[in-house]
Amino acid sequence: MKLDNRSAATIALHADEEFRADHAIAPPICQSVTYLADGPDDFARKAVEPHNAEFYGRHGNPTAKRLAKIVADLEGAEAGMVLSSGMGAMTTAILTFVGQGDHIIAQDGHYSATSNFLRKVLPRYGIETTFVDQTKPNAFGEAIRPQTKLILVETPVNPLATLTDLKAVANMARAAEVLTLCDNTFASPINQRPLEFGIDLVVHSATKYIGGHHDLLAGVVVGKQPQLDAIWDMSMDLGPIGAPFDAWLALRGLRTLKARIDVHNANAMKIATFLESHSAVGEVYYPGLLTHPQHELAKQQMTGFGGMLTFDLKGGYEAGLQFVSRLQLCLNAASLGGVETLVVQPAVMFRARLTDEQIRAQGVTPGMIRMSAGIEDGDDLVADLDQALSVI
């Protein structure tokens, strides 16, 4: 079935029709770790063929292959691969293309585990990273050296929903023959398709919006076939292969991705608009707001503004504690991208080991609240926030 002109909702439901081996509507879970060969020649071929899903579980899995196919199609990529987590996908992709003496360019702001990997782990192996202000596209180009092998971006990113100009960065990287990789987890392929702007590789934590139900760990990387073959080869040595059951859960979640993202987008916009006019709230950081400093860029490279927003409570740390404790629908829990609305106060996690000044240096204020808007009724969510704010 040719799906080039189909919508994302249709692709998510039908892009894997070629994998259907029986009359079952729901895909099966293939838990087998090893497979029969049809003879010595077949065994030898399967043993070295990248992404072969019927040789040994570390090489590939039929259920995971279906998931990778759909995500690749949603992103407009040639190929994809499922790994054990978002960080499994990120680290395996990075290590595929850099080695001792090489140089990476990254943003000042990334997912914390990505930042730790770049700042603490890679230097032990002779790989240097230069961090630049993602709001200044020229900073990426100015940081390029002869040793630069990879530019890593993430957009939008915590804590202020800051964006990176994908087209500008991709153009500079391509002119210098430097590979680009984008973490597209926050936006999802429904709201943003980095490959359309010239980015080479896209990584997702499928744990978040792709899975959508807070019940799995998985990562996906997509790009051109030769790049994915190289990543697969690295995964053979590192071993972060995705589990079949988690891949099946993500495959099930992916079927409703477009429908869920539409609600996430609408709820986050409704909440951001409400919060912006509330007397207890200071700054609200959401790309869909006209007041967001990069709203115009968001309109250029995003078709929806996502379910993630951050806001400051004027009352500071204590106000944040009181606000979170009064919430009834919104749940105080880590992670994001699921059907339930989740809320965290970042300073609570940091205050055990950092001063307020150190916390602010990381872009986090004492009264900052990060919210992952779920798919509950939007008016009910606003009502919950309103009652929680009423005594602050």
PDB file of all heavy atoms in Angstrom, residues 209-245:
ATOM      1  N   TYR A 209       5.330  10.021  24.116  1.00  0.00           N
ATOM      2  CA  TYR A 209       4.108  10.154  23.335  1.00  0.00           C
ATOM      3  C   TYR A 209       3.812   8.950  22.441  1.00  0.00           C
ATOM      4  O   TYR A 209       2.648   8.599  22.239  1.00  0.00           O
ATOM      5  CB  TYR A 209       4.160  11.421  22.477  1.00  0.00           C
ATOM      6  CG  TYR A 209       3.992  12.678  23.286  1.00  0.00           C
ATOM      7  CD1 TYR A 209       5.071  13.514  23.532  1.00  0.00           C
ATOM      8  CD2 TYR A 209       2.763  13.008  23.843  1.00  0.00           C
ATOM      9  CE1 TYR A 209       4.922  14.669  24.293  1.00  0.00           C
ATOM     10  CE2 TYR A 209       2.595  14.153  24.603  1.00  0.00           C
ATOM     11  CZ  TYR A 209       3.683  14.978  24.826  1.00  0.00           C
ATOM     12  OH  TYR A 209       3.536  16.105  25.590  1.00  0.00           O
ATOM     13  N   ILE A 210       4.832   8.313  21.894  1.00  0.00           N
ATOM     14  CA  ILE A 210       4.576   7.187  20.997  1.00  0.00           C
ATOM     15  C   ILE A 210       3.875   6.062  21.744  1.00  0.00           C
ATOM     16  O   ILE A 210       2.871   5.520  21.284  1.00  0.00           O
ATOM     17  CB  ILE A 210       5.888   6.713  20.348  1.00  0.00           C
ATOM     18  CG1 ILE A 210       6.341   7.758  19.313  1.00  0.00           C
ATOM     19  CG2 ILE A 210       5.705   5.349  19.692  1.00  0.00           C
ATOM     20  CD1 ILE A 210       7.694   7.477  18.697  1.00  0.00           C
ATOM     21  N   GLY A 211       4.390   5.679  22.902  1.00  0.00           N
ATOM     22  CA  GLY A 211       3.705   4.687  23.742  1.00  0.00           C
ATOM     23  C   GLY A 211       2.443   5.259  24.342  1.00  0.00           C
ATOM     24  O   GLY A 211       1.364   4.677  24.254  1.00  0.00           O
ATOM     25  N   GLY A 212       2.592   6.410  24.992  1.00  0.00           N
ATOM     26  CA  GLY A 212       1.454   7.204  25.406  1.00  0.00           C
ATOM     27  C   GLY A 212       0.704   6.787  26.649  1.00  0.00           C
ATOM     28  O   GLY A 212      -0.280   7.438  27.013  1.00  0.00           O
ATOM     29  N   HIS A 213       1.144   5.720  27.343  1.00  0.00           N
ATOM     30  CA  HIS A 213       0.350   5.232  28.468  1.00  0.00           C
ATOM     31  C   HIS A 213       1.172   4.932  29.725  1.00  0.00           C
ATOM     32  O   HIS A 213       0.703   4.257  30.633  1.00  0.00           O
ATOM     33  CB  HIS A 213      -0.422   3.959  28.057  1.00  0.00           C
ATOM     34  CG  HIS A 213      -1.498   4.217  27.057  1.00  0.00           C
ATOM     35  ND1 HIS A 213      -1.221   4.419  25.713  1.00  0.00           N
ATOM     36  CD2 HIS A 213      -2.843   4.310  27.176  1.00  0.00           C
ATOM     37  CE1 HIS A 213      -2.360   4.628  25.065  1.00  0.00           C
ATOM     38  NE2 HIS A 213      -3.356   4.563  25.929  1.00  0.00           N
ATOM     39  N   HIS A 214       2.390   5.441  29.791  1.00  0.00           N
ATOM     40  CA  HIS A 214       3.240   5.269  30.973  1.00  0.00           C
ATOM     41  C   HIS A 214       3.448   3.797  31.348  1.00  0.00           C
ATOM     42  O   HIS A 214       3.516   3.462  32.529  1.00  0.00           O
ATOM     43  CB  HIS A 214       2.642   6.013  32.182  1.00  0.00           C
ATOM     44  CG  HIS A 214       2.388   7.469  31.962  1.00  0.00           C
ATOM     45  ND1 HIS A 214       3.361   8.355  31.547  1.00  0.00           N
ATOM     46  CD2 HIS A 214       1.249   8.198  32.104  1.00  0.00           C
ATOM     47  CE1 HIS A 214       2.830   9.579  31.447  1.00  0.00           C
ATOM     48  NE2 HIS A 214       1.567   9.504  31.769  1.00  0.00           N
ATOM     49  N   ASP A 215       3.566   2.923  30.338  1.00  0.00           N
ATOM     50  CA  ASP A 215       3.660   1.505  30.680  1.00  0.00           C
ATOM     51  C   ASP A 215       4.761   0.765  29.909  1.00  0.00           C
ATOM     52  O   ASP A 215       4.744  -0.466  29.819  1.00  0.00           O
ATOM     53  CB  ASP A 215       2.315   0.805  30.463  1.00  0.00           C
ATOM     54  CG  ASP A 215       1.776   0.942  29.040  1.00  0.00           C
ATOM     55  OD1 ASP A 215       2.491   1.496  28.179  1.00  0.00           O
ATOM     56  OD2 ASP A 215       0.640   0.499  28.785  1.00  0.00           O
ATOM     57  N   LEU A 216       5.725   1.489  29.341  1.00  0.00           N
ATOM     58  CA  LEU A 216       6.787   0.824  28.592  1.00  0.00           C
ATOM     59  C   LEU A 216       8.040   1.685  28.572  1.00  0.00           C
ATOM     60  O   LEU A 216       7.999   2.894  28.824  1.00  0.00           O
ATOM     61  CB  LEU A 216       6.341   0.549  27.152  1.00  0.00           C
ATOM     62  CG  LEU A 216       6.102   1.776  26.264  1.00  0.00           C
ATOM     63  CD1 LEU A 216       7.338   2.078  25.404  1.00  0.00           C
ATOM     64  CD2 LEU A 216       4.888   1.566  25.365  1.00  0.00           C
ATOM     65  N   LEU A 217       9.172   1.036  28.283  1.00  0.00           N
ATOM     66  CA  LEU A 217      10.431   1.721  28.008  1.00  0.00           C
ATOM     67  C   LEU A 217      10.895   1.297  26.619  1.00  0.00           C
ATOM     68  O   LEU A 217      11.041   0.107  26.342  1.00  0.00           O
ATOM     69  CB  LEU A 217      11.506   1.344  29.030  1.00  0.00           C
ATOM     70  CG  LEU A 217      11.467   2.029  30.392  1.00  0.00           C
ATOM     71  CD1 LEU A 217      12.516   1.397  31.304  1.00  0.00           C
ATOM     72  CD2 LEU A 217      11.714   3.526  30.263  1.00  0.00           C
ATOM     73  N   ALA A 218      11.124   2.275  25.744  1.00  0.00           N
ATOM     74  CA  ALA A 218      11.625   1.976  24.399  1.00  0.00           C
ATOM     75  C   ALA A 218      12.133   3.259  23.763  1.00  0.00           C
ATOM     76  O   ALA A 218      11.725   4.364  24.132  1.00  0.00           O
ATOM     77  CB  ALA A 218      10.533   1.352  23.531  1.00  0.00           C
ATOM     78  N   GLY A 219      13.025   3.100  22.801  1.00  0.00           N
ATOM     79  CA  GLY A 219      13.514   4.220  22.012  1.00  0.00           C
ATOM     80  C   GLY A 219      13.492   3.858  20.550  1.00  0.00           C
ATOM     81  O   GLY A 219      13.512   2.670  20.183  1.00  0.00           O
ATOM     82  N   VAL A 220      13.432   4.855  19.689  1.00  0.00           N
ATOM     83  CA  VAL A 220      13.437   4.639  18.239  1.00  0.00           C
ATOM     84  C   VAL A 220      14.382   5.653  17.606  1.00  0.00           C
ATOM     85  O   VAL A 220      14.393   6.821  17.995  1.00  0.00           O
ATOM     86  CB  VAL A 220      12.029   4.788  17.625  1.00  0.00           C
ATOM     87  CG1 VAL A 220      12.064   4.509  16.129  1.00  0.00           C
ATOM     88  CG2 VAL A 220      11.028   3.871  18.306  1.00  0.00           C
ATOM     89  N   VAL A 221      15.167   5.203  16.635  1.00  0.00           N
ATOM     90  CA  VAL A 221      15.981   6.105  15.821  1.00  0.00           C
ATOM     91  C   VAL A 221      15.643   5.850  14.361  1.00  0.00           C
ATOM     92  O   VAL A 221      15.468   4.692  13.948  1.00  0.00           O
ATOM     93  CB  VAL A 221      17.494   5.919  16.095  1.00  0.00           C
ATOM     94  CG1 VAL A 221      17.946   4.492  15.862  1.00  0.00           C
ATOM     95  CG2 VAL A 221      18.312   6.898  15.267  1.00  0.00           C
ATOM     96  N   VAL A 222      15.494   6.924  13.580  1.00  0.00           N
ATOM     97  CA  VAL A 222      15.159   6.793  12.163  1.00  0.00           C
ATOM     98  C   VAL A 222      16.084   7.674  11.335  1.00  0.00           C
ATOM     99  O   VAL A 222      16.627   8.668  11.816  1.00  0.00           O
ATOM    100  CB  VAL A 222      13.685   7.150  11.875  1.00  0.00           C
ATOM    101  CG1 VAL A 222      12.744   6.287  12.691  1.00  0.00           C
ATOM    102  CG2 VAL A 222      13.412   8.636  12.128  1.00  0.00           C
ATOM    103  N   GLY A 223      16.262   7.302  10.064  1.00  0.00           N
ATOM    104  CA  GLY A 223      17.100   8.062   9.148  1.00  0.00           C
ATOM    105  C   GLY A 223      17.267   7.313   7.856  1.00  0.00           C
ATOM    106  O   GLY A 223      16.434   6.466   7.497  1.00  0.00           O
ATOM    107  N   LYS A 224      18.357   7.562   7.154  1.00  0.00           N
ATOM    108  CA  LYS A 224      18.635   6.848   5.910  1.00  0.00           C
ATOM    109  C   LYS A 224      19.133   5.438   6.202  1.00  0.00           C
ATOM    110  O   LYS A 224      19.720   5.174   7.243  1.00  0.00           O
ATOM    111  CB  LYS A 224      19.655   7.625   5.084  1.00  0.00           C
ATOM    112  CG  LYS A 224      19.106   8.945   4.552  1.00  0.00           C
ATOM    113  CD  LYS A 224      20.125   9.649   3.675  1.00  0.00           C
ATOM    114  CE  LYS A 224      19.538  10.948   3.105  1.00  0.00           C
ATOM    115  NZ  LYS A 224      20.525  11.688   2.274  1.00  0.00           N
ATOM    116  N   GLN A 225      18.926   4.543   5.238  1.00  0.00           N
ATOM    117  CA  GLN A 225      19.247   3.137   5.459  1.00  0.00           C
ATOM    118  C   GLN A 225      20.726   2.905   5.817  1.00  0.00           C
ATOM    119  O   GLN A 225      21.012   2.151   6.765  1.00  0.00           O
ATOM    120  CB  GLN A 225      18.877   2.323   4.221  1.00  0.00           C
ATOM    121  CG  GLN A 225      18.974   0.821   4.429  1.00  0.00           C
ATOM    122  CD  GLN A 225      17.915   0.296   5.387  1.00  0.00           C
ATOM    123  OE1 GLN A 225      16.728   0.447   5.146  1.00  0.00           O
ATOM    124  NE2 GLN A 225      18.347  -0.329   6.476  1.00  0.00           N
ATOM    125  N   PRO A 226      21.695   3.501   5.113  1.00  0.00           N
ATOM    126  CA  PRO A 226      23.089   3.249   5.494  1.00  0.00           C
ATOM    127  C   PRO A 226      23.413   3.675   6.929  1.00  0.00           C
ATOM    128  O   PRO A 226      24.185   3.009   7.627  1.00  0.00           O
ATOM    129  CB  PRO A 226      23.886   4.071   4.479  1.00  0.00           C
ATOM    130  CG  PRO A 226      22.981   4.206   3.299  1.00  0.00           C
ATOM    131  CD  PRO A 226      21.608   4.317   3.885  1.00  0.00           C
ATOM    132  N   GLN A 227      22.818   4.781   7.372  1.00  0.00           N
ATOM    133  CA  GLN A 227      23.042   5.237   8.743  1.00  0.00           C
ATOM    134  C   GLN A 227      22.437   4.265   9.748  1.00  0.00           C
ATOM    135  O   GLN A 227      23.055   3.954  10.779  1.00  0.00           O
ATOM    136  CB  GLN A 227      22.428   6.630   8.925  1.00  0.00           C
ATOM    137  CG  GLN A 227      23.067   7.698   8.059  1.00  0.00           C
ATOM    138  CD  GLN A 227      22.212   8.946   7.942  1.00  0.00           C
ATOM    139  OE1 GLN A 227      21.025   8.942   8.263  1.00  0.00           O
ATOM    140  NE2 GLN A 227      22.813  10.024   7.462  1.00  0.00           N
ATOM    141  N   LEU A 228      21.246   3.762   9.433  1.00  0.00           N
ATOM    142  CA  LEU A 228      20.601   2.814  10.339  1.00  0.00           C
ATOM    143  C   LEU A 228      21.337   1.479  10.354  1.00  0.00           C
ATOM    144  O   LEU A 228      21.402   0.808  11.396  1.00  0.00           O
ATOM    145  CB  LEU A 228      19.133   2.626   9.958  1.00  0.00           C
ATOM    146  CG  LEU A 228      18.130   3.545  10.677  1.00  0.00           C
ATOM    147  CD1 LEU A 228      18.079   3.224  12.174  1.00  0.00           C
ATOM    148  CD2 LEU A 228      18.465   5.013  10.488  1.00  0.00           C
ATOM    149  N   ASP A 229      21.921   1.091   9.232  1.00  0.00           N
ATOM    150  CA  ASP A 229      22.715  -0.135   9.209  1.00  0.00           C
ATOM    151  C   ASP A 229      23.934   0.008  10.119  1.00  0.00           C
ATOM    152  O   ASP A 229      24.315  -0.941  10.827  1.00  0.00           O
ATOM    153  CB  ASP A 229      23.168  -0.451   7.786  1.00  0.00           C
ATOM    154  CG  ASP A 229      22.020  -0.906   6.890  1.00  0.00           C
ATOM    155  OD1 ASP A 229      20.908  -1.163   7.411  1.00  0.00           O
ATOM    156  OD2 ASP A 229      22.237  -0.997   5.667  1.00  0.00           O
ATOM    157  N   ALA A 230      24.546   1.194  10.107  1.00  0.00           N
ATOM    158  CA  ALA A 230      25.706   1.432  10.968  1.00  0.00           C
ATOM    159  C   ALA A 230      25.307   1.427  12.441  1.00  0.00           C
ATOM    160  O   ALA A 230      26.025   0.890  13.296  1.00  0.00           O
ATOM    161  CB  ALA A 230      26.363   2.764  10.599  1.00  0.00           C
ATOM    162  N   ILE A 231      24.148   2.014  12.759  1.00  0.00           N
ATOM    163  CA  ILE A 231      23.662   2.019  14.140  1.00  0.00           C
ATOM    164  C   ILE A 231      23.346   0.596  14.592  1.00  0.00           C
ATOM    165  O   ILE A 231      23.646   0.200  15.722  1.00  0.00           O
ATOM    166  CB  ILE A 231      22.432   2.941  14.269  1.00  0.00           C
ATOM    167  CG1 ILE A 231      22.835   4.396  14.031  1.00  0.00           C
ATOM    168  CG2 ILE A 231      21.780   2.790  15.650  1.00  0.00           C
ATOM    169  CD1 ILE A 231      21.678   5.354  13.882  1.00  0.00           C
ATOM    170  N   TRP A 232      22.745  -0.178  13.693  1.00  0.00           N
ATOM    171  CA  TRP A 232      22.472  -1.584  14.012  1.00  0.00           C
ATOM    172  C   TRP A 232      23.761  -2.325  14.332  1.00  0.00           C
ATOM    173  O   TRP A 232      23.841  -3.091  15.295  1.00  0.00           O
ATOM    174  CB  TRP A 232      21.757  -2.253  12.836  1.00  0.00           C
ATOM    175  CG  TRP A 232      21.578  -3.728  13.010  1.00  0.00           C
ATOM    176  CD1 TRP A 232      20.552  -4.354  13.673  1.00  0.00           C
ATOM    177  CD2 TRP A 232      22.445  -4.764  12.552  1.00  0.00           C
ATOM    178  NE1 TRP A 232      20.738  -5.720  13.648  1.00  0.00           N
ATOM    179  CE2 TRP A 232      21.890  -5.998  12.979  1.00  0.00           C
ATOM    180  CE3 TRP A 232      23.641  -4.770  11.830  1.00  0.00           C
ATOM    181  CZ2 TRP A 232      22.488  -7.221  12.690  1.00  0.00           C
ATOM    182  CZ3 TRP A 232      24.232  -5.990  11.542  1.00  0.00           C
ATOM    183  CH2 TRP A 232      23.664  -7.199  11.976  1.00  0.00           C
ATOM    184  N   ASP A 233      24.795  -2.082  13.534  1.00  0.00           N
ATOM    185  CA  ASP A 233      26.073  -2.751  13.757  1.00  0.00           C
ATOM    186  C   ASP A 233      26.646  -2.392  15.132  1.00  0.00           C
ATOM    187  O   ASP A 233      27.146  -3.266  15.851  1.00  0.00           O
ATOM    188  CB  ASP A 233      27.051  -2.352  12.656  1.00  0.00           C
ATOM    189  CG  ASP A 233      28.287  -3.232  12.632  1.00  0.00           C
ATOM    190  OD1 ASP A 233      28.137  -4.456  12.534  1.00  0.00           O
ATOM    191  OD2 ASP A 233      29.397  -2.683  12.733  1.00  0.00           O
ATOM    192  N   MET A 234      26.541  -1.119  15.522  1.00  0.00           N
ATOM    193  CA  MET A 234      26.995  -0.713  16.856  1.00  0.00           C
ATOM    194  C   MET A 234      26.151  -1.369  17.945  1.00  0.00           C
ATOM    195  O   MET A 234      26.657  -1.782  18.994  1.00  0.00           O
ATOM    196  CB  MET A 234      26.929   0.812  16.980  1.00  0.00           C
ATOM    197  CG  MET A 234      27.298   1.351  18.364  1.00  0.00           C
ATOM    198  SD  MET A 234      28.984   0.966  18.882  1.00  0.00           S
ATOM    199  CE  MET A 234      29.921   2.100  17.841  1.00  0.00           C
ATOM    200  N   SER A 235      24.855  -1.503  17.697  1.00  0.00           N
ATOM    201  CA  SER A 235      23.973  -2.108  18.703  1.00  0.00           C
ATOM    202  C   SER A 235      24.325  -3.570  18.954  1.00  0.00           C
ATOM    203  O   SER A 235      24.056  -4.095  20.038  1.00  0.00           O
ATOM    204  CB  SER A 235      22.510  -1.987  18.282  1.00  0.00           C
ATOM    205  OG  SER A 235      22.168  -2.938  17.280  1.00  0.00           O
ATOM    206  N   MET A 236      24.915  -4.226  17.966  1.00  0.00           N
ATOM    207  CA  MET A 236      25.328  -5.609  18.155  1.00  0.00           C
ATOM    208  C   MET A 236      26.387  -5.736  19.249  1.00  0.00           C
ATOM    209  O   MET A 236      26.449  -6.740  19.971  1.00  0.00           O
ATOM    210  CB  MET A 236      25.893  -6.183  16.852  1.00  0.00           C
ATOM    211  CG  MET A 236      24.867  -6.412  15.753  1.00  0.00           C
ATOM    212  SD  MET A 236      23.584  -7.625  16.192  1.00  0.00           S
ATOM    213  CE  MET A 236      22.315  -6.528  16.828  1.00  0.00           C
ATOM    214  N   ASP A 237      27.220  -4.697  19.383  1.00  0.00           N
ATOM    215  CA  ASP A 237      28.256  -4.700  20.412  1.00  0.00           C
ATOM    216  C   ASP A 237      27.766  -4.133  21.739  1.00  0.00           C
ATOM    217  O   ASP A 237      28.152  -4.605  22.809  1.00  0.00           O
ATOM    218  CB  ASP A 237      29.474  -3.905  19.936  1.00  0.00           C
ATOM    219  CG  ASP A 237      30.138  -4.542  18.723  1.00  0.00           C
ATOM    220  OD1 ASP A 237      30.144  -5.787  18.641  1.00  0.00           O
ATOM    221  OD2 ASP A 237      30.636  -3.797  17.868  1.00  0.00           O
ATOM    222  N   LEU A 238      26.904  -3.120  21.677  1.00  0.00           N
ATOM    223  CA  LEU A 238      26.424  -2.483  22.914  1.00  0.00           C
ATOM    224  C   LEU A 238      25.250  -3.232  23.537  1.00  0.00           C
ATOM    225  O   LEU A 238      25.081  -3.221  24.756  1.00  0.00           O
ATOM    226  CB  LEU A 238      26.028  -1.034  22.630  1.00  0.00           C
ATOM    227  CG  LEU A 238      27.151  -0.103  22.157  1.00  0.00           C
ATOM    228  CD1 LEU A 238      26.609   1.308  21.960  1.00  0.00           C
ATOM    229  CD2 LEU A 238      28.316  -0.095  23.125  1.00  0.00           C
ATOM    230  N   GLY A 239      24.384  -3.813  22.712  1.00  0.00           N
ATOM    231  CA  GLY A 239      23.305  -4.660  23.218  1.00  0.00           C
ATOM    232  C   GLY A 239      22.036  -4.012  23.723  1.00  0.00           C
ATOM    233  O   GLY A 239      21.257  -4.681  24.404  1.00  0.00           O
ATOM    234  N   PRO A 240      21.730  -2.729  23.392  1.00  0.00           N
ATOM    235  CA  PRO A 240      20.506  -2.116  23.939  1.00  0.00           C
ATOM    236  C   PRO A 240      19.265  -2.381  23.090  1.00  0.00           C
ATOM    237  O   PRO A 240      18.536  -1.457  22.743  1.00  0.00           O
ATOM    238  CB  PRO A 240      20.854  -0.628  23.946  1.00  0.00           C
ATOM    239  CG  PRO A 240      21.700  -0.474  22.716  1.00  0.00           C
ATOM    240  CD  PRO A 240      22.494  -1.762  22.596  1.00  0.00           C
ATOM    241  N   ILE A 241      19.018  -3.629  22.763  1.00  0.00           N
ATOM    242  CA  ILE A 241      17.916  -3.943  21.856  1.00  0.00           C
ATOM    243  C   ILE A 241      16.578  -3.817  22.573  1.00  0.00           C
ATOM    244  O   ILE A 241      16.465  -4.095  23.764  1.00  0.00           O
ATOM    245  CB  ILE A 241      18.090  -5.370  21.275  1.00  0.00           C
ATOM    246  CG1 ILE A 241      17.200  -5.559  20.046  1.00  0.00           C
ATOM    247  CG2 ILE A 241      17.847  -6.429  22.332  1.00  0.00           C
ATOM    248  CD1 ILE A 241      17.591  -4.706  18.881  1.00  0.00           C
ATOM    249  N   GLY A 242      15.554  -3.401  21.850  1.00  0.00           N
ATOM    250  CA  GLY A 242      14.227  -3.250  22.429  1.00  0.00           C
ATOM    251  C   GLY A 242      13.567  -4.590  22.710  1.00  0.00           C
ATOM    252  O   GLY A 242      13.708  -5.545  21.929  1.00  0.00           O
ATOM    253  N   ALA A 243      12.842  -4.676  23.807  1.00  0.00           N
ATOM    254  CA  ALA A 243      12.152  -5.912  24.167  1.00  0.00           C
ATOM    255  C   ALA A 243      10.870  -6.059  23.343  1.00  0.00           C
ATOM    256  O   ALA A 243      10.166  -5.077  23.097  1.00  0.00           O
ATOM    257  CB  ALA A 243      11.811  -5.916  25.652  1.00  0.00           C
ATOM    258  N   PRO A 244      10.528  -7.276  22.918  1.00  0.00           N
ATOM    259  CA  PRO A 244       9.339  -7.482  22.084  1.00  0.00           C
ATOM    260  C   PRO A 244       8.043  -6.972  22.723  1.00  0.00           C
ATOM    261  O   PRO A 244       7.222  -6.351  22.040  1.00  0.00           O
ATOM    262  CB  PRO A 244       9.295  -9.003  21.890  1.00  0.00           C
ATOM    263  CG  PRO A 244      10.708  -9.435  22.040  1.00  0.00           C
ATOM    264  CD  PRO A 244      11.305  -8.527  23.070  1.00  0.00           C
ATOM    265  N   PHE A 245       7.863  -7.223  24.020  1.00  0.00           N
ATOM    266  CA  PHE A 245       6.600  -6.810  24.638  1.00  0.00           C
ATOM    267  C   PHE A 245       6.492  -5.288  24.706  1.00  0.00           C
ATOM    268  O   PHE A 245       5.421  -4.718  24.453  1.00  0.00           O
ATOM    269  CB  PHE A 245       6.456  -7.406  26.037  1.00  0.00           C
ATOM    270  CG  PHE A 245       5.122  -7.127  26.670  1.00  0.00           C
ATOM    271  CD1 PHE A 245       3.965  -7.648  26.135  1.00  0.00           C
ATOM    272  CD2 PHE A 245       5.015  -6.312  27.792  1.00  0.00           C
ATOM    273  CE1 PHE A 245       2.722  -7.385  26.700  1.00  0.00           C
ATOM    274  CE2 PHE A 245       3.784  -6.042  28.371  1.00  0.00           C
ATOM    275  CZ  PHE A 245       2.630  -6.578  27.817  1.00  0.00           C
TER     276      PHE A 245
END
